[in-house]
Short mmCIF file of all heavy atoms in Angstrom, two decimals:
data_model
loop_
_atom_site.label_atom_id
_atom_site.label_comp_id
_atom_site.label_asym_id
_atom_site.label_seq_id
_atom_site.Cartn_x
_atom_site.Cartn_y
_atom_site.Cartn_z
N MET V 1 9.38 11.65 -16.90
CA MET V 1 9.40 10.40 -16.16
C MET V 1 8.19 10.27 -15.25
O MET V 1 7.66 9.19 -15.09
CB MET V 1 10.71 10.33 -15.37
CG MET V 1 10.97 9.01 -14.78
SD MET V 1 11.36 7.84 -16.08
CE MET V 1 12.10 6.58 -15.16
N LYS V 2 7.72 11.36 -14.69
CA LYS V 2 6.57 11.30 -13.80
C LYS V 2 5.30 10.90 -14.53
O LYS V 2 4.46 10.21 -13.99
CB LYS V 2 6.37 12.64 -13.11
CG LYS V 2 7.43 12.98 -12.11
CD LYS V 2 7.14 14.30 -11.46
CE LYS V 2 8.25 14.65 -10.50
NZ LYS V 2 8.04 15.93 -9.85
N PHE V 3 5.15 11.34 -15.79
CA PHE V 3 3.94 11.01 -16.54
C PHE V 3 3.86 9.53 -16.86
O PHE V 3 2.79 8.95 -16.90
CB PHE V 3 3.86 11.84 -17.82
CG PHE V 3 3.64 13.30 -17.55
CD1 PHE V 3 4.64 14.21 -17.82
CD2 PHE V 3 2.46 13.73 -17.01
CE1 PHE V 3 4.45 15.55 -17.56
CE2 PHE V 3 2.24 15.07 -16.76
CZ PHE V 3 3.25 15.99 -17.03
N TYR V 4 5.01 8.90 -17.08
CA TYR V 4 5.03 7.46 -17.34
C TYR V 4 4.48 6.70 -16.14
O TYR V 4 3.67 5.79 -16.29
CB TYR V 4 6.45 6.99 -17.67
CG TYR V 4 6.56 5.49 -17.76
CD1 TYR V 4 6.04 4.82 -18.87
CD2 TYR V 4 7.14 4.74 -16.75
CE1 TYR V 4 6.12 3.45 -18.96
CE2 TYR V 4 7.21 3.38 -16.83
CZ TYR V 4 6.70 2.74 -17.94
OH TYR V 4 6.77 1.38 -18.03
N HIS V 5 4.91 7.09 -14.95
CA HIS V 5 4.43 6.42 -13.74
C HIS V 5 2.95 6.66 -13.53
O HIS V 5 2.23 5.76 -13.10
CB HIS V 5 5.23 6.88 -12.53
CG HIS V 5 6.65 6.41 -12.55
ND1 HIS V 5 6.98 5.09 -12.44
CD2 HIS V 5 7.81 7.09 -12.66
CE1 HIS V 5 8.30 4.96 -12.49
NE2 HIS V 5 8.82 6.17 -12.63
N LEU V 6 2.48 7.84 -13.87
CA LEU V 6 1.06 8.15 -13.73
C LEU V 6 0.24 7.29 -14.69
O LEU V 6 -0.79 6.74 -14.31
CB LEU V 6 0.81 9.64 -13.99
CG LEU V 6 -0.61 10.12 -13.80
CD1 LEU V 6 -1.05 9.90 -12.36
CD2 LEU V 6 -0.72 11.59 -14.17
N ARG V 7 0.67 7.18 -15.94
CA ARG V 7 -0.04 6.34 -16.91
C ARG V 7 -0.02 4.87 -16.48
O ARG V 7 -1.01 4.17 -16.61
CB ARG V 7 0.58 6.48 -18.29
CG ARG V 7 -0.02 7.64 -19.06
CD ARG V 7 0.48 7.61 -20.47
NE ARG V 7 1.74 8.35 -20.49
CZ ARG V 7 2.69 8.21 -21.38
NH1 ARG V 7 2.55 7.36 -22.35
NH2 ARG V 7 3.78 8.93 -21.31
N GLN V 8 1.11 4.42 -16.00
CA GLN V 8 1.23 3.03 -15.57
C GLN V 8 0.30 2.78 -14.38
O GLN V 8 -0.35 1.75 -14.29
CB GLN V 8 2.67 2.73 -15.19
CG GLN V 8 2.91 1.28 -14.83
CD GLN V 8 4.36 1.02 -14.46
OE1 GLN V 8 5.12 1.95 -14.23
NE2 GLN V 8 4.73 -0.22 -14.40
N ARG V 9 0.20 3.73 -13.49
CA ARG V 9 -0.65 3.61 -12.32
C ARG V 9 -2.12 3.53 -12.73
O ARG V 9 -2.89 2.74 -12.20
CB ARG V 9 -0.40 4.80 -11.42
CG ARG V 9 -0.87 4.66 -10.04
CD ARG V 9 -0.37 5.86 -9.31
NE ARG V 9 -0.65 5.77 -7.92
CZ ARG V 9 -0.45 6.76 -7.09
NH1 ARG V 9 0.03 7.90 -7.53
NH2 ARG V 9 -0.72 6.63 -5.83
N CYS V 10 -2.53 4.36 -13.70
CA CYS V 10 -3.90 4.34 -14.17
C CYS V 10 -4.22 3.03 -14.86
O CYS V 10 -5.32 2.50 -14.73
CB CYS V 10 -4.16 5.51 -15.12
SG CYS V 10 -4.16 7.09 -14.30
N ALA V 11 -3.28 2.49 -15.61
CA ALA V 11 -3.50 1.22 -16.29
C ALA V 11 -3.70 0.10 -15.28
O ALA V 11 -4.55 -0.78 -15.46
CB ALA V 11 -2.34 0.91 -17.22
N MET V 12 -2.95 0.11 -14.22
CA MET V 12 -3.10 -0.92 -13.21
C MET V 12 -4.43 -0.79 -12.49
O MET V 12 -5.09 -1.78 -12.21
CB MET V 12 -1.95 -0.86 -12.20
CG MET V 12 -0.62 -1.30 -12.77
SD MET V 12 -0.64 -2.97 -13.42
CE MET V 12 -0.83 -3.90 -11.95
N SER V 13 -4.87 0.43 -12.23
CA SER V 13 -6.15 0.58 -11.56
C SER V 13 -7.28 0.16 -12.49
O SER V 13 -8.28 -0.38 -12.04
CB SER V 13 -6.34 2.01 -11.07
OG SER V 13 -6.45 2.89 -12.15
N ARG V 14 -7.14 0.38 -13.80
CA ARG V 14 -8.15 -0.06 -14.76
C ARG V 14 -8.20 -1.58 -14.80
O ARG V 14 -9.28 -2.17 -14.83
CB ARG V 14 -7.83 0.50 -16.14
CG ARG V 14 -8.95 0.35 -17.12
CD ARG V 14 -8.68 1.01 -18.45
NE ARG V 14 -7.72 2.10 -18.41
CZ ARG V 14 -6.65 2.19 -19.19
NH1 ARG V 14 -6.40 1.26 -20.08
NH2 ARG V 14 -5.83 3.22 -19.10
N LEU V 15 -7.04 -2.22 -14.78
CA LEU V 15 -6.98 -3.67 -14.76
C LEU V 15 -7.61 -4.22 -13.49
O LEU V 15 -8.39 -5.17 -13.53
CB LEU V 15 -5.53 -4.15 -14.89
CG LEU V 15 -5.32 -5.66 -14.81
CD1 LEU V 15 -6.02 -6.36 -15.98
CD2 LEU V 15 -3.85 -5.98 -14.79
N SER V 16 -7.29 -3.63 -12.36
CA SER V 16 -7.88 -4.11 -11.11
C SER V 16 -9.39 -3.91 -11.09
O SER V 16 -10.13 -4.73 -10.56
CB SER V 16 -7.22 -3.44 -9.91
OG SER V 16 -7.53 -2.08 -9.89
N HIS V 17 -9.86 -2.81 -11.70
CA HIS V 17 -11.30 -2.57 -11.79
C HIS V 17 -11.97 -3.64 -12.65
O HIS V 17 -13.05 -4.14 -12.30
CB HIS V 17 -11.57 -1.18 -12.37
CG HIS V 17 -13.01 -0.90 -12.58
ND1 HIS V 17 -13.88 -0.70 -11.54
CD2 HIS V 17 -13.75 -0.83 -13.72
CE1 HIS V 17 -15.10 -0.50 -12.02
NE2 HIS V 17 -15.03 -0.57 -13.34
N GLU V 18 -11.35 -4.02 -13.77
CA GLU V 18 -11.92 -5.05 -14.63
C GLU V 18 -11.94 -6.41 -13.93
O GLU V 18 -12.91 -7.16 -14.06
CB GLU V 18 -11.14 -5.13 -15.94
CG GLU V 18 -11.36 -3.94 -16.84
CD GLU V 18 -10.51 -3.98 -18.09
OE1 GLU V 18 -9.80 -4.99 -18.30
OE2 GLU V 18 -10.55 -3.00 -18.85
N LEU V 19 -10.88 -6.73 -13.20
CA LEU V 19 -10.86 -7.99 -12.47
C LEU V 19 -11.91 -8.01 -11.36
O LEU V 19 -12.58 -9.02 -11.14
CB LEU V 19 -9.47 -8.24 -11.88
CG LEU V 19 -8.38 -8.58 -12.89
CD1 LEU V 19 -7.02 -8.64 -12.20
CD2 LEU V 19 -8.68 -9.88 -13.58
N GLU V 20 -12.07 -6.90 -10.68
CA GLU V 20 -13.08 -6.80 -9.62
C GLU V 20 -14.48 -6.93 -10.21
O GLU V 20 -15.35 -7.58 -9.64
CB GLU V 20 -12.93 -5.47 -8.89
CG GLU V 20 -13.86 -5.28 -7.73
CD GLU V 20 -13.56 -6.18 -6.56
OE1 GLU V 20 -12.42 -6.69 -6.47
OE2 GLU V 20 -14.46 -6.39 -5.75
N SER V 21 -14.70 -6.33 -11.36
CA SER V 21 -16.00 -6.43 -12.03
C SER V 21 -16.29 -7.86 -12.45
O SER V 21 -17.41 -8.36 -12.29
CB SER V 21 -16.03 -5.50 -13.24
OG SER V 21 -17.24 -5.61 -13.92
N ALA V 22 -15.29 -8.56 -12.98
CA ALA V 22 -15.47 -9.96 -13.38
C ALA V 22 -15.76 -10.83 -12.17
O ALA V 22 -16.62 -11.71 -12.22
CB ALA V 22 -14.23 -10.45 -14.11
N ARG V 23 -15.06 -10.58 -11.07
CA ARG V 23 -15.30 -11.35 -9.84
C ARG V 23 -16.71 -11.11 -9.32
O ARG V 23 -17.43 -12.02 -8.94
CB ARG V 23 -14.27 -10.96 -8.77
CG ARG V 23 -14.39 -11.74 -7.49
CD ARG V 23 -13.37 -11.29 -6.47
NE ARG V 23 -13.62 -9.96 -5.99
CZ ARG V 23 -14.46 -9.69 -4.97
NH1 ARG V 23 -15.09 -10.65 -4.36
NH2 ARG V 23 -14.62 -8.46 -4.57
N TRP V 24 -17.14 -9.86 -9.34
CA TRP V 24 -18.47 -9.50 -8.85
C TRP V 24 -19.54 -10.17 -9.70
O TRP V 24 -20.51 -10.71 -9.18
CB TRP V 24 -18.64 -7.98 -8.89
CG TRP V 24 -19.82 -7.50 -8.14
CD1 TRP V 24 -19.86 -7.15 -6.83
CD2 TRP V 24 -21.14 -7.32 -8.65
NE1 TRP V 24 -21.12 -6.76 -6.48
CE2 TRP V 24 -21.93 -6.86 -7.60
CE3 TRP V 24 -21.73 -7.51 -9.89
CZ2 TRP V 24 -23.28 -6.58 -7.74
CZ3 TRP V 24 -23.08 -7.23 -10.03
CH2 TRP V 24 -23.83 -6.77 -8.96
N HIS V 25 -19.37 -10.15 -11.03
CA HIS V 25 -20.35 -10.77 -11.90
C HIS V 25 -20.37 -12.29 -11.73
O HIS V 25 -21.44 -12.90 -11.78
CB HIS V 25 -20.06 -10.41 -13.37
CG HIS V 25 -20.62 -9.10 -13.77
ND1 HIS V 25 -20.37 -7.93 -13.09
CD2 HIS V 25 -21.45 -8.76 -14.77
CE1 HIS V 25 -21.00 -6.93 -13.66
NE2 HIS V 25 -21.67 -7.41 -14.70
N PHE V 26 -19.21 -12.90 -11.54
CA PHE V 26 -19.17 -14.35 -11.37
C PHE V 26 -19.90 -14.78 -10.11
O PHE V 26 -20.74 -15.67 -10.14
CB PHE V 26 -17.72 -14.85 -11.34
CG PHE V 26 -17.63 -16.34 -11.13
CD1 PHE V 26 -17.93 -17.20 -12.17
CD2 PHE V 26 -17.24 -16.86 -9.91
CE1 PHE V 26 -17.85 -18.59 -11.99
CE2 PHE V 26 -17.16 -18.23 -9.73
CZ PHE V 26 -17.47 -19.09 -10.76
N PHE V 27 -19.59 -14.16 -8.99
CA PHE V 27 -20.20 -14.58 -7.73
C PHE V 27 -21.59 -13.99 -7.54
O PHE V 27 -22.38 -14.51 -6.75
CB PHE V 27 -19.31 -14.20 -6.54
CG PHE V 27 -18.07 -15.03 -6.46
CD1 PHE V 27 -16.83 -14.49 -6.75
CD2 PHE V 27 -18.13 -16.37 -6.12
CE1 PHE V 27 -15.69 -15.26 -6.68
CE2 PHE V 27 -17.00 -17.15 -6.05
CZ PHE V 27 -15.77 -16.58 -6.33
N GLY V 28 -21.93 -12.94 -8.26
CA GLY V 28 -23.24 -12.32 -8.10
C GLY V 28 -24.30 -12.88 -9.03
O GLY V 28 -25.46 -12.99 -8.64
N TYR V 29 -23.94 -13.22 -10.26
CA TYR V 29 -24.93 -13.61 -11.26
C TYR V 29 -24.83 -15.05 -11.74
O TYR V 29 -25.79 -15.60 -12.23
CB TYR V 29 -24.83 -12.70 -12.49
CG TYR V 29 -25.14 -11.27 -12.19
CD1 TYR V 29 -24.23 -10.27 -12.52
CD2 TYR V 29 -26.32 -10.90 -11.60
CE1 TYR V 29 -24.51 -8.94 -12.26
CE2 TYR V 29 -26.62 -9.57 -11.32
CZ TYR V 29 -25.71 -8.60 -11.67
OH TYR V 29 -25.99 -7.30 -11.41
N ASN V 30 -23.69 -15.66 -11.65
CA ASN V 30 -23.46 -17.00 -12.17
C ASN V 30 -23.96 -18.04 -11.15
O ASN V 30 -23.64 -17.95 -9.97
CB ASN V 30 -21.97 -17.19 -12.43
CG ASN V 30 -21.67 -18.41 -13.25
OD1 ASN V 30 -22.52 -19.26 -13.45
ND2 ASN V 30 -20.44 -18.47 -13.74
N PRO V 31 -24.75 -19.04 -11.57
CA PRO V 31 -25.23 -20.05 -10.61
C PRO V 31 -24.10 -20.85 -9.97
O PRO V 31 -24.19 -21.22 -8.79
CB PRO V 31 -26.11 -20.98 -11.45
CG PRO V 31 -26.31 -20.32 -12.75
CD PRO V 31 -25.30 -19.24 -12.90
N ILE V 32 -23.03 -21.10 -10.70
CA ILE V 32 -21.89 -21.82 -10.11
C ILE V 32 -21.22 -20.94 -9.05
O ILE V 32 -20.84 -21.42 -7.99
CB ILE V 32 -20.89 -22.24 -11.21
CG1 ILE V 32 -21.55 -23.25 -12.14
CG2 ILE V 32 -19.63 -22.82 -10.60
CD1 ILE V 32 -20.76 -23.58 -13.37
N GLY V 33 -21.09 -19.64 -9.35
CA GLY V 33 -20.52 -18.72 -8.37
C GLY V 33 -21.38 -18.64 -7.12
O GLY V 33 -20.86 -18.53 -6.00
N ALA V 34 -22.71 -18.71 -7.28
CA ALA V 34 -23.60 -18.68 -6.12
C ALA V 34 -23.41 -19.93 -5.26
O ALA V 34 -23.44 -19.85 -4.03
CB ALA V 34 -25.05 -18.56 -6.58
N LYS V 35 -23.19 -21.08 -5.90
CA LYS V 35 -22.94 -22.32 -5.14
C LYS V 35 -21.61 -22.23 -4.38
O LYS V 35 -21.51 -22.67 -3.24
CB LYS V 35 -22.95 -23.52 -6.07
CG LYS V 35 -24.32 -23.87 -6.56
CD LYS V 35 -24.30 -25.09 -7.44
CE LYS V 35 -25.70 -25.38 -7.95
NZ LYS V 35 -25.75 -26.58 -8.78
N ILE V 36 -20.61 -21.66 -5.03
CA ILE V 36 -19.31 -21.50 -4.35
C ILE V 36 -19.46 -20.54 -3.18
O ILE V 36 -18.90 -20.76 -2.10
CB ILE V 36 -18.24 -21.01 -5.35
CG1 ILE V 36 -17.96 -22.09 -6.39
CG2 ILE V 36 -16.96 -20.62 -4.62
CD1 ILE V 36 -17.08 -21.64 -7.54
N LEU V 37 -20.24 -19.47 -3.37
CA LEU V 37 -20.49 -18.52 -2.28
C LEU V 37 -21.22 -19.20 -1.13
O LEU V 37 -20.90 -18.96 0.04
CB LEU V 37 -21.27 -17.32 -2.79
CG LEU V 37 -21.63 -16.25 -1.77
CD1 LEU V 37 -20.38 -15.66 -1.14
CD2 LEU V 37 -22.46 -15.16 -2.43
N ASN V 38 -22.19 -20.05 -1.42
CA ASN V 38 -22.89 -20.79 -0.36
C ASN V 38 -21.94 -21.71 0.39
O ASN V 38 -22.02 -21.83 1.61
CB ASN V 38 -24.05 -21.59 -0.95
CG ASN V 38 -25.21 -20.71 -1.34
OD1 ASN V 38 -25.35 -19.60 -0.86
ND2 ASN V 38 -26.04 -21.21 -2.24
N ALA V 39 -21.04 -22.36 -0.35
CA ALA V 39 -20.05 -23.23 0.30
C ALA V 39 -19.11 -22.40 1.18
O ALA V 39 -18.76 -22.81 2.29
CB ALA V 39 -19.26 -24.00 -0.74
N ALA V 40 -18.72 -21.22 0.71
CA ALA V 40 -17.85 -20.35 1.50
C ALA V 40 -18.59 -19.86 2.74
O ALA V 40 -17.99 -19.75 3.83
CB ALA V 40 -17.36 -19.18 0.67
N ASP V 41 -19.88 -19.57 2.62
CA ASP V 41 -20.68 -19.18 3.79
C ASP V 41 -20.75 -20.31 4.80
O ASP V 41 -20.61 -20.08 6.01
CB ASP V 41 -22.11 -18.80 3.37
CG ASP V 41 -22.20 -17.43 2.76
OD1 ASP V 41 -21.30 -16.60 3.01
OD2 ASP V 41 -23.20 -17.17 2.06
N TRP V 42 -20.95 -21.52 4.32
CA TRP V 42 -21.01 -22.68 5.21
C TRP V 42 -19.68 -22.87 5.94
O TRP V 42 -19.66 -23.11 7.15
CB TRP V 42 -21.38 -23.93 4.41
CG TRP V 42 -21.46 -25.15 5.27
CD1 TRP V 42 -22.50 -25.54 6.05
CD2 TRP V 42 -20.44 -26.13 5.45
NE1 TRP V 42 -22.19 -26.71 6.70
CE2 TRP V 42 -20.93 -27.09 6.35
CE3 TRP V 42 -19.16 -26.28 4.94
CZ2 TRP V 42 -20.18 -28.19 6.74
CZ3 TRP V 42 -18.42 -27.38 5.33
CH2 TRP V 42 -18.92 -28.32 6.21
N LEU V 43 -18.58 -22.76 5.19
CA LEU V 43 -17.25 -22.90 5.81
C LEU V 43 -17.01 -21.80 6.83
O LEU V 43 -16.43 -22.04 7.89
CB LEU V 43 -16.16 -22.86 4.75
CG LEU V 43 -15.94 -24.12 3.94
CD1 LEU V 43 -14.97 -23.86 2.80
CD2 LEU V 43 -15.44 -25.24 4.82
N HIS V 44 -17.46 -20.58 6.52
CA HIS V 44 -17.25 -19.46 7.44
C HIS V 44 -18.05 -19.65 8.72
O HIS V 44 -17.59 -19.29 9.80
CB HIS V 44 -17.61 -18.15 6.75
CG HIS V 44 -17.19 -16.95 7.52
ND1 HIS V 44 -18.07 -16.21 8.26
CD2 HIS V 44 -15.98 -16.37 7.68
CE1 HIS V 44 -17.42 -15.21 8.84
NE2 HIS V 44 -16.15 -15.31 8.50
N LYS V 45 -19.25 -20.22 8.62
CA LYS V 45 -20.04 -20.49 9.82
C LYS V 45 -19.44 -21.64 10.63
O LYS V 45 -19.48 -21.62 11.85
CB LYS V 45 -21.48 -20.82 9.44
CG LYS V 45 -22.26 -19.63 8.97
CD LYS V 45 -23.66 -20.02 8.56
CE LYS V 45 -24.38 -18.83 7.99
NZ LYS V 45 -25.70 -19.18 7.44
N ARG V 46 -18.89 -22.62 9.93
CA ARG V 46 -18.34 -23.79 10.61
C ARG V 46 -16.98 -23.51 11.26
O ARG V 46 -16.69 -24.00 12.34
CB ARG V 46 -18.20 -24.93 9.61
CG ARG V 46 -17.59 -26.14 10.19
CD ARG V 46 -18.28 -27.36 9.77
NE ARG V 46 -17.47 -28.48 10.23
CZ ARG V 46 -17.97 -29.52 10.82
NH1 ARG V 46 -19.25 -29.61 10.99
NH2 ARG V 46 -17.20 -30.49 11.22
N PHE V 47 -16.14 -22.72 10.58
CA PHE V 47 -14.80 -22.40 11.08
C PHE V 47 -14.64 -20.88 11.15
O PHE V 47 -13.91 -20.30 10.34
CB PHE V 47 -13.72 -22.99 10.17
CG PHE V 47 -13.86 -24.47 9.93
CD1 PHE V 47 -14.32 -24.95 8.71
CD2 PHE V 47 -13.54 -25.36 10.93
CE1 PHE V 47 -14.45 -26.30 8.48
CE2 PHE V 47 -13.66 -26.73 10.71
CZ PHE V 47 -14.13 -27.21 9.49
N PRO V 48 -15.26 -20.21 12.11
CA PRO V 48 -15.23 -18.74 12.13
C PRO V 48 -13.87 -18.15 12.50
O PRO V 48 -13.60 -17.00 12.17
CB PRO V 48 -16.28 -18.38 13.18
CG PRO V 48 -16.37 -19.58 14.05
CD PRO V 48 -16.08 -20.76 13.18
N LYS V 49 -13.00 -18.92 13.12
CA LYS V 49 -11.71 -18.38 13.54
C LYS V 49 -10.58 -18.64 12.53
O LYS V 49 -9.47 -18.17 12.73
CB LYS V 49 -11.32 -18.96 14.90
CG LYS V 49 -12.26 -18.50 16.00
CD LYS V 49 -11.83 -19.00 17.34
CE LYS V 49 -12.79 -18.52 18.41
NZ LYS V 49 -12.40 -18.96 19.73
N SER V 50 -10.87 -19.36 11.47
CA SER V 50 -9.85 -19.67 10.48
C SER V 50 -9.62 -18.46 9.57
O SER V 50 -10.55 -17.94 8.96
CB SER V 50 -10.29 -20.87 9.64
OG SER V 50 -9.40 -21.07 8.58
N THR V 51 -8.37 -18.03 9.47
CA THR V 51 -8.07 -16.87 8.63
C THR V 51 -8.16 -17.20 7.15
O THR V 51 -8.57 -16.36 6.35
CB THR V 51 -6.67 -16.31 8.95
OG1 THR V 51 -5.70 -17.34 8.76
CG2 THR V 51 -6.59 -15.78 10.36
N VAL V 52 -7.81 -18.44 6.77
CA VAL V 52 -7.88 -18.83 5.36
C VAL V 52 -9.34 -18.85 4.90
O VAL V 52 -9.67 -18.34 3.82
CB VAL V 52 -7.22 -20.22 5.15
CG1 VAL V 52 -7.44 -20.72 3.74
CG2 VAL V 52 -5.75 -20.15 5.49
N VAL V 53 -10.22 -19.42 5.72
CA VAL V 53 -11.64 -19.47 5.37
C VAL V 53 -12.21 -18.06 5.33
O VAL V 53 -13.02 -17.73 4.46
CB VAL V 53 -12.41 -20.36 6.37
CG1 VAL V 53 -13.91 -20.26 6.17
CG2 VAL V 53 -11.95 -21.80 6.25
N HIS V 54 -11.79 -17.21 6.24
CA HIS V 54 -12.28 -15.83 6.26
C HIS V 54 -11.86 -15.08 5.00
O HIS V 54 -12.66 -14.35 4.41
CB HIS V 54 -11.78 -15.11 7.51
CG HIS V 54 -12.33 -13.73 7.65
ND1 HIS V 54 -13.64 -13.50 7.97
CD2 HIS V 54 -11.75 -12.52 7.50
CE1 HIS V 54 -13.85 -12.20 8.01
NE2 HIS V 54 -12.71 -11.59 7.73
N LYS V 55 -10.61 -15.26 4.57
CA LYS V 55 -10.15 -14.60 3.34
C LYS V 55 -10.89 -15.13 2.12
O LYS V 55 -11.24 -14.37 1.22
CB LYS V 55 -8.64 -14.77 3.18
CG LYS V 55 -7.86 -13.92 4.14
CD LYS V 55 -6.38 -14.08 3.94
CE LYS V 55 -5.63 -13.24 4.95
NZ LYS V 55 -4.19 -13.31 4.75
N LEU V 56 -11.13 -16.44 2.06
CA LEU V 56 -11.90 -17.02 0.97
C LEU V 56 -13.31 -16.46 0.96
O LEU V 56 -13.84 -16.10 -0.09
CB LEU V 56 -11.94 -18.55 1.11
CG LEU V 56 -12.85 -19.28 0.13
CD1 LEU V 56 -12.25 -19.24 -1.27
CD2 LEU V 56 -13.08 -20.70 0.57
N TRP V 57 -13.92 -16.36 2.12
CA TRP V 57 -15.27 -15.83 2.24
C TRP V 57 -15.33 -14.37 1.78
O TRP V 57 -16.23 -13.99 1.04
CB TRP V 57 -15.73 -15.96 3.69
CG TRP V 57 -17.10 -15.45 3.97
CD1 TRP V 57 -18.28 -16.00 3.55
CD2 TRP V 57 -17.43 -14.30 4.74
NE1 TRP V 57 -19.31 -15.25 4.02
CE2 TRP V 57 -18.83 -14.21 4.76
CE3 TRP V 57 -16.68 -13.36 5.42
CZ2 TRP V 57 -19.48 -13.20 5.44
CZ3 TRP V 57 -17.34 -12.36 6.10
CH2 TRP V 57 -18.72 -12.28 6.10
N LEU V 58 -14.35 -13.56 2.17
CA LEU V 58 -14.32 -12.17 1.74
C LEU V 58 -14.10 -12.06 0.22
O LEU V 58 -14.67 -11.19 -0.42
CB LEU V 58 -13.20 -11.40 2.47
CG LEU V 58 -13.46 -11.08 3.93
CD1 LEU V 58 -12.26 -10.39 4.52
CD2 LEU V 58 -14.69 -10.22 4.09
N TYR V 59 -13.31 -12.95 -0.34
CA TYR V 59 -13.07 -12.91 -1.78
C TYR V 59 -14.34 -13.28 -2.56
O TYR V 59 -14.60 -12.73 -3.62
CB TYR V 59 -11.94 -13.87 -2.15
CG TYR V 59 -11.63 -13.86 -3.62
CD1 TYR V 59 -10.89 -12.83 -4.16
CD2 TYR V 59 -12.10 -14.85 -4.47
CE1 TYR V 59 -10.60 -12.78 -5.52
CE2 TYR V 59 -11.82 -14.81 -5.83
CZ TYR V 59 -11.08 -13.77 -6.34
OH TYR V 59 -10.82 -13.73 -7.68
N CYS V 60 -15.13 -14.18 -2.02
CA CYS V 60 -16.33 -14.64 -2.71
C CYS V 60 -17.51 -13.67 -2.59
O CYS V 60 -18.47 -13.80 -3.34
CB CYS V 60 -16.75 -16.00 -2.20
SG CYS V 60 -15.62 -17.32 -2.63
N LEU V 61 -17.47 -12.75 -1.66
CA LEU V 61 -18.60 -11.83 -1.52
C LEU V 61 -18.72 -10.97 -2.78
O LEU V 61 -17.74 -10.40 -3.24
CB LEU V 61 -18.40 -10.93 -0.29
CG LEU V 61 -18.54 -11.62 1.05
CD1 LEU V 61 -18.26 -10.63 2.17
CD2 LEU V 61 -19.90 -12.24 1.23
N PRO V 62 -19.92 -10.86 -3.33
CA PRO V 62 -20.06 -10.14 -4.60
C PRO V 62 -20.22 -8.64 -4.45
O PRO V 62 -20.87 -8.01 -5.28
CB PRO V 62 -21.32 -10.78 -5.20
CG PRO V 62 -22.12 -11.18 -4.03
CD PRO V 62 -21.13 -11.58 -2.99
N PHE V 63 -19.69 -8.04 -3.43
CA PHE V 63 -19.75 -6.58 -3.32
C PHE V 63 -18.49 -6.05 -2.71
O PHE V 63 -17.68 -6.77 -2.22
CB PHE V 63 -20.96 -6.12 -2.53
CG PHE V 63 -21.13 -6.80 -1.21
CD1 PHE V 63 -20.47 -6.36 -0.09
CD2 PHE V 63 -21.97 -7.89 -1.08
CE1 PHE V 63 -20.63 -6.99 1.13
CE2 PHE V 63 -22.14 -8.51 0.14
CZ PHE V 63 -21.48 -8.07 1.24
#
């Protein structure tokens, strides 16, 4: 039973790694992602105390 949980855990970490890689490539290399990142930067400068804007800004950062 323990090995099943270990395999399941590794599969989830692999999935999260693939999603993180796709997010990084979208916001780092894609021109549309760069525009969205610029908009998130603008929102973060305009509303620095907003938690929703801060979370969006952190999600858009390509690193």
Side-chain angles (χ1 to χ4, degrees):
M1 191 70 163
K2 290 182 182 179
F3 292 112
Y4 172 74
H5 291 294
L6 183 62
R7 272 188 273 157
Q8 185 180 14
R9 197 173 186 188
C10 290
M12 290 302 291
S13 66
R14 192 175 336 127
L15 177 64
S16 67
H17 176 71
E18 289 176 5
L19 289 174
E20 184 69 20
S21 178
R23 183 181 68 85
W24 193 90
H25 276 54
F26 178 75
F27 289 109
Y29 297 125
N30 193 347
I32 295 171
K35 288 182 181 182
I36 294 171
L37 179 60
N38 287 339
D41 282 339
W42 180 81
L43 282 172
H44 191 257
K45 288 178 184 174
R46 177 137 172 135
F47 306 106
K49 294 183 180 181
S50 173
T51 57
V52 173
V53 172
H54 184 71
K55 287 182 182 183
L56 173 71
W57 180 70
L58 287 177
Y59 182 77
C60 291
L61 289 178
F63 50 84

